[in-house]
Amino acid sequence: MKKVEDAYSIYKNVDGWHRDYVYYNLKPEDGISRDSVSGPFIYKFKECIVGFELLGNPETALAKISDQAGDPKKRGYRSPQVLWTEGEFEFLVKVYLGSVSLVGSELKTYFRANGNDLFGASNGSGRGGAKYSMFLKKKDMKLPLFEWNLEDYATSVKIAIEEVDDTESIKNTESTTVEFAGNIGFDISWGTTVKKGLKFGASAKKNRIIGFESTTTKGNDELGEVVVNFGDPVMVEESSIDWAGNKIFYPVLNPKYYTGWYRLYIAPEEM
C-alpha cells in the first residue's frame, strides 16, 4: 500500500490519477508539460480486493447469504462473537474486462469467509430488549484480480459478487460500449510501450463496442455489480488512531464501490 499512499500525497492537491503513478510512475514534473511525461507499465502491481463488508440490517444480510442447507447458520451468541454451525460462506467474484481485441473476458475468482469474519455480537439492548445484538464487520484480505495495463484493457471494469450456493451455470452473451485510453504506444526512447501524458494525455479517448460472454449460476445469491474506473482515487484521506500513546496513521480507501448488499475496497497492491 506504500505506493498508493505516495500517489495520494502526490495528487492530494493536484488533478490526476493515482493509478498513473502506481502503474506507470507518472506524476507532474517541473518544466515538463502534463501531456509529455511518459513511462512504461510496471508489472509488479495488481488490482486487489482488500476489503469486503455486507451492508444494511445484519439479520437481513445474513438471511440473504444463508438461505441454503449447507450455509453456516447462527446458533446463538457468546460476546463478542456469534456462534455458528460448521462451514464457511463462499463468494464468487466476476470481473468483466474490456480488451483491445474487442472480445471481453470474464475473470472469475473466489474467497471464503466464516461467520465471524462478517458478523460480530455486542452486549446491550438488542432489538426488543435482547441481551445481544449483531453487527456487520469488514473482512480484510488481499485477493489479486488483474494487472491494469491500459495497453490491454479499457479504463473501466465491472465487478459482480455472488454468494455461492449451486454449480449449474448458464452462459449469456452481451455487448457494451467501453472506453480505452488513446495515449498508449511504442516509444523508441524507452524501447517499449509507454503511457504518454497524465490522465488521457493529449490523445482522444477511444470508444469501442465489446462483446462479453458471461455466466449466471442458478441458485447463487447475486449481490450486485460495481464499476471501477482507472481514474478513480484509490485513497481518499489519511486518518489516525491513538494506540498506547502513539498516533498510528492509516489510509482510507475509496468507499464508492457498493450496492444495496455489500461494499468493496479496491487497491493496486505489490505482488
Side-chain angles (χ1 to χ4, degrees), residues 8 23 40 58 106 126 136 150 155 163 165 184 186 211 221 238 259:
Y8 170 76
Y23 284 114
E106 180 188 54
L136 297 170
L150 295 179
T155 56
E163 193 272 325
D165 285 324
I184 305 293
F186 184 82
D221 298 315
E238 184 178 59
T259 70

Side-chain angles (χ1 to χ4, degrees), residues 23 32 39 42 48 52 74 76 111 114 133 139 146 148 158 168-169 190 202 224 231 239 242:
Y23 284 114
I32 304 177
I42 301 169
C48 295
F52 172 84
K74 182 179 68 174
F111 69 90
N114 62 47
S133 60
K139 175 179 172 61
F146 66 101
W148 207 333
K158 183 170 68 175
E168 184 181 351
S169 296
W190 285 95
S239 191
D242 290 320

Side-chain angles (χ1 to χ4, degrees), residues 77-82 119-123 132-135 137:
Y77 297 99
R78 183 182 296 139
S79 184
Q81 292 187 329
V82 182
F119 300 89
S122 59
N123 290 313
Y132 297 104
S133 60
M134 190 164 62
F135 60 88
K137 297 165 59 178

Side-chain angles (χ1 to χ4, degrees), residues 9-28:
S9 297
I10 290 168
Y11 288 108
K12 187 174 182 179
N13 298 307
V14 178
D15 181 37
W17 294 347
H18 293 178
R19 288 180 174 87
D20 263 355
Y21 181 69
V22 174
Y23 284 114
Y24 294 94
N25 273 341
L26 297 184
K27 61 180 180 178

Side-chain angles (χ1 to χ4, degrees), residues 44-85:
K44 66 179 181 179
F45 292 94
K46 271 189 175 184
E47 292 295 315
C48 295
I49 295 177
V50 295
F52 172 84
E53 60 187 347
L54 295 169
L55 298 178
N57 178 278
E59 296 288 352
T60 303
L62 177 58
K64 175 69 172 176
I65 66 172
S66 183
D67 59 344
Q68 299 292 323
D71 292 329
K73 308 295 182 188
K74 182 179 68 174
R75 293 194 295 114
Y77 297 99
R78 183 182 296 139
S79 184
Q81 292 187 329
V82 182
L83 301 178
W84 300 91
T85 58

